């Protein structure tokens, strides 16, 4: 106390008094129904939306000529997915897509992020096209547009055609992805203006081929895993080039990536710089490689003899210019500056750190702000979409059929407060896609974890809007925090 001078104390009292005087007016104005102060608003052209993915919602796994994907094989392998759940039926969106478009319309969203099942369109991953599979996506896209909703299309959300030999261990899969991406751009870019090449590299590479928790369930040694990652980013680059070559001019191309988000422990210059450095170095196999067109020394040194084998021209392909970056943001990692060689360290979360219903989903809403800020400060990205954010919750149905998910609203409200901060500081936030429209097949957790704004009864497939759907509709209507 004695270190605070009288002058400082007096000054803070003066400013508190001034705030009090100025503060009186807005309180009256709000009570009179005046517009919300700008401080809570989002940019005028903000695209509000919801996100889903093909294998998680479509079902109809064996219909109209769809070929199996690695997730069909994996989910049908005993012991791989919670209680043996599969995506055979999922939310049956294949047949109920019109109803789902009405759910979107009722929310008032401008955009819908959906993914294409590669093996529905190319049952063998390449070669002969399955017209009936393509027709399904034409119907969905036309239905969205007829309801004033723009489709934002992800080309690969983990459901790799089973028929591709070697999966992502093979470089040919990257080439097959490029061909498929070019084909889809040719067929859809008259109506689809935004494409995401690939969703979340780390999940289908490290979780699929390293830890074995996701399809195809392998546990490869480090050098082979590094090659799988390399084929993932190479596929992205080939996809970007193919969409540019085959899509209409003006088609916007990006990816949907879940970079680790490094949050400075305290907002001081040194911790902010440390978090930014961690962001670049600890995301080096993926977003750093894509945006810099190289594997930085931090990655190559860490991998040593296990570093990926890179062919001539690969890095240029991987670094092909993109129009925007999509970020899937769920959890924070806290970083502080220190005197180690790296100059920073990532702090272990205490066991009491709050979480949502999924074990991995710790709650640190400021991660939404730092995800955007680190990305844009590091690489001057011109446009950012939040392509996923949302949470699992222990949703219960009341006797009169309501789902009062106040915890999900808490999660979303707090995250969006930090997105609003990023936008109001001038970071180029263009849109937000909430994960997810519906409860759905949550990968290895099967149907046990619910992320939807709409509750799905997996026996009847009935959809019921949760309280969070009502809340999101109001936020969209105001284009401001609620
Ligand atoms: C993302 N983790 O996956 C996916 O893009 C969605 O398909 C998925 O349903 C959603 O987030 C919710 O999980 C993740 O273990 C899966 O850290 C697992 C993790 C992160 C993201």
């Amino acid at each position: 106390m004695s270190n605070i001078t009288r002058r400082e104390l007096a000054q803070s009292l003066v400013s508190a008094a001034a705030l009090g005087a100025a503060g009186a007016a807005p309180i009256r104005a709000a009570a009179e129904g005046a517009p919300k102060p700008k401080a809570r608003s989002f940019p005028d052209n903000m695209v509000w939306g919801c996100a889903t993915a093909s294998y998680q919602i479509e079902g109809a796994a064996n219909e109209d000529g769809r070929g199996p994907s690695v997730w069909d094989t994996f989910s049908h392998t005993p012991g791989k997915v919670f209680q043996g759940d599969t995506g055979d039926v999922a939310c049956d969106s294949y047949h109920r897509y019109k109803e789902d478009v009405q759910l979107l319309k009722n929310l008032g969203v401008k955009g819908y992020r959906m993914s294409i099942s590669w093996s529905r369109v190319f049952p063998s991953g390449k070669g002969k096209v399955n017209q009936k599979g393509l027709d399904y996506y034409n119907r969905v896209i036309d239905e969205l547009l007829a309801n004033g909703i723009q489709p934002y299309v992800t080309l690969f959300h983990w459901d790799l055609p089973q028929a591709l030999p070697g999966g992502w261990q093979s470089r040919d899969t990257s080439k097959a992805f490029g061909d498929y991406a070019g084909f889809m751009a040719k067929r859809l870019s008259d109506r689809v203006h935004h494409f995401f090449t690939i969703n979340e590299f780390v999940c289908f590479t490290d979780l699929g081929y390293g830890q074995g928790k996701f399809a195809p369930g392998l546990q490869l040694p480090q050098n082979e895993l590094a090659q799988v990652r390399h084929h993932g980013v190479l596929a992205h680059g080939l996809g970007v080039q193919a969409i540019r070559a085959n899509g209409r001019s003006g088609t916007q191309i990006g990816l949907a990536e879940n970079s680790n988000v490094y949050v400075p422990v305290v907002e001081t210059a040194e911790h902010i710089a440390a978090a930014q450095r961690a962001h670049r170095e600890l995301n080096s196999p993926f977003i750093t490689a894509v945006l810099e067109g190289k594997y930085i020394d931090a990655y190559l040194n860490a991998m040593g003899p296990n570093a990926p084998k890179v062919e001539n021209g690969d890095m240029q392909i991987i670094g092909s210019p993109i129009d925007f970056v999509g970020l899937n943001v769920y959890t924070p990692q806290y970083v502080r500056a220190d005197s180690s060689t790296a100059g920073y360290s990532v702090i272990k979360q205490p066991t009491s750190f709050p979480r949502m219903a999924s074990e991995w989903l710790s709650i640190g809403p400021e991660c939404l702000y730092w995800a955007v800020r680190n990305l844009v400060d590091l690489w001057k990205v011109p446009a950012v979409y939040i392509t996923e954010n949302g949470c699992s919750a222990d949703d219960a149905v009341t006797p009169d059929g309501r789902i009062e998910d106040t915890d999900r609203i808490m999660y979303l409200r707090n995250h969006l407060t930090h997105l609003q901060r990023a936008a109001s500081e001038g970071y180029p936030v263009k849109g937000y896609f909430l994960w997810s429209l519906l409860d759905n097949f949550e990968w290895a957790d099967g149907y046990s974890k619910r992320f939807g704004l709409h509750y799905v009864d997996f026996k009847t497939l009935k959809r019921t809007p949760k309280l969070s759907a009502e809340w999101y509709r109001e936020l969209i209507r105001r284009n401001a925090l609620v």
Side-chain angles (χ1 to χ4, degrees):
M1 180 68 192
S2 61
N3 281 343
I4 299 180
T5 64
R6 277 168 200 280
R7 199 161 58 95
E8 277 168 343
L9 185 65
Q11 253 173 6
S12 67
L13 289 173
V14 167
S15 31
L19 267 178
I27 291 168
R28 259 206 312 280
E32 286 157 14
K36 284 276 166 273
K38 260 279 175 238
R40 293 178 68 79
S41 299
F42 288 92
D44 286 344
N45 294 326
M46 182 81 177
V47 177
W48 293 106
C50 287
T52 62
S54 46
Y55 190 70
Q56 295 181 272
I57 65 162
E58 286 177 1
N62 299 309
E63 244 175 277
D64 291 340
R66 176 183 178 276
S69 80
V70 294
W71 269 95
D72 294 270
T73 311
F74 188 73
S75 65
H76 280 271
T77 307
K80 299 297 185 192
V81 173
F82 181 79
Q83 289 188 351
D85 290 342
T86 73
D88 288 1
V89 178
C91 306
D92 193 33
S93 229
Y94 191 75
H95 300 109
R96 293 168 202 247
Y97 68 90
K98 286 191 179 172
E99 186 184 342
D100 293 341
V101 171
Q102 288 312 304
L103 301 178
L104 289 162
K105 196 175 180 188
N106 290 339
L107 291 169
V109 299
K110 286 191 225 162
Y112 178 49
R113 177 175 172 241
M114 55 183 272
S115 85
I116 307 269
S117 156
W118 180 350
S119 66
R120 213 181 264 297
V121 181
F122 290 99
S124 308
K126 50 186 168 185
K128 200 171 165 327
V129 62
N130 174 34
Q131 188 58 42
K132 283 188 174 170
L134 187 59
D135 288 345
Y136 167 65
Y137 294 108
N138 280 323
R139 288 197 296 280
V140 174
I141 287 163
D142 291 344
E143 184 72 11
L144 287 164
L145 292 172
N147 284 278
I149 300 164
Q150 290 294 321
Y152 287 72
V153 169
T154 311
L155 294 170
F156 179 70
H157 199 124
W158 311 349
D159 42 358
L160 186 74
Q162 181 65 63
L164 290 171
W168 287 110
Q169 288 183 266
S170 165
R171 197 180 158 91
D172 288 344
T173 295
S174 314
K175 293 189 190 142
F177 176 78
D179 294 344
Y180 153 69
F183 176 87
M184 295 312 300
K186 194 175 267 174
R187 295 304 177 94
L188 302 184
S189 64
D190 56 335
R191 290 155 294 152
V192 175
H193 307 310
H194 297 80
F195 287 93
F196 309 94
T197 52
I198 282 182
N199 184 71
E200 299 190 353
F201 292 113
V202 79
C203 285
F204 70 91
T205 58
D206 286 53
L207 294 186
Y209 293 81
Q211 296 182 28
K213 286 187 186 160
F214 281 5
L218 302 179
Q219 292 180 305
L220 301 179
Q222 280 299 312
N223 61 331
E224 293 179 37
L225 175 59
Q227 208 56 36
V228 164
R229 291 181 190 145
H230 181 67
H231 294 155
V233 287
L234 181 63
H236 156 80
L238 290 168
V240 172
Q241 298 192 347
I243 300 167
R244 284 267 186 254
N246 291 281
R248 294 214 172 173
S249 85
T251 300
Q252 301 290 292
I253 311 173
L255 76 178
E257 176 59 341
N258 65 331
S259 307
N260 298 323
V261 181
Y262 295 102
V263 175
V265 268
V266 183
E267 250 185 80
T268 60
E270 55 162 352
H271 295 309
I272 291 171
Q276 196 183 92
R277 199 163 161 195
H279 204 93
R280 177 171 181 261
E281 292 185 356
L282 303 178
N283 289 305
S284 53
F286 304 123
I287 197 70
T288 307
V290 164
L291 294 176
E292 298 193 18
K294 66 175 185 214
Y295 291 129
I296 60 173
D297 289 344
Y299 182 52
L300 295 176
N301 293 339
M303 295 303 287
N306 295 324
K309 293 189 180 52
V310 176
E311 291 188 12
N312 259 342
D314 282 4
M315 295 318 297
Q316 212 177 342
I317 294 169
I318 291 165
S320 299
I322 51 180
D323 302 303
F324 63 85
V325 170
L327 294 174
N328 297 355
V329 183
Y330 290 94
T331 63
Q333 312 266 355
Y334 294 95
V335 165
R336 66 179 164 82
D338 68 9
S339 56
S340 64
T341 336
Y344 58 84
S345 54
V346 180
I347 294 174
K348 194 170 177 293
Q349 283 183 1
T351 51
S352 58
F353 208 93
R355 296 169 191 281
M356 296 303 294
S358 304
E359 186 46 38
W360 55 271
L361 222 176
S362 62
I363 308 165
E366 64 280 11
C367 66
L368 209 40
Y369 171 76
W370 289 101
V372 175
R373 178 164 164 180
N374 286 335
L375 177 87
V376 175
D377 286 355
L378 275 166
W379 295 297
K380 311 293 166 238
V381 170
V384 183
Y385 290 87
I386 302 304
T387 32
E388 286 182 26
N389 172 241
C391 65
S392 48
D394 292 340
D395 299 322
V397 186
T398 63
D400 53 349
R402 285 174 293 120
I403 299 97
E404 298 178 319
D405 54 340
T406 49
D407 53 350
R408 177 173 288 105
I409 295 174
M410 174 281 296
Y411 178 97
L412 295 169
R413 176 186 285 128
N414 281 288
H415 280 77
L416 284 167
T417 300
H418 289 273
L419 187 64
Q420 197 275 342
R421 176 183 174 194
S424 67
E425 287 180 8
Y427 288 98
V429 177
K430 304 294 180 190
Y432 173 90
F433 295 87
L434 198 156
W435 186 272
S436 181
L437 176 64
L438 302 166
D439 295 337
N440 58 45
F441 177 78
E442 177 52 19
W443 307 112
D445 289 329
Y447 297 99
S448 68
K449 300 292 177 211
R450 295 176 177 273
F451 277 78
L453 288 178
H454 296 88
Y455 187 91
V456 177
D457 178 332
F458 288 104
K459 291 201 180 77
T460 62
L461 297 169
K462 181 169 176 260
R463 284 93 158 115
T464 307
K466 302 177 191 175
L467 193 57
S468 53
E470 212 176 295
W471 173 86
Y472 192 42
R473 182 174 58 214
E474 184 59 15
L475 179 136
I476 294 171
R477 194 183 69 75
R478 297 190 201 185
N479 197 36
L481 295 165
V482 282

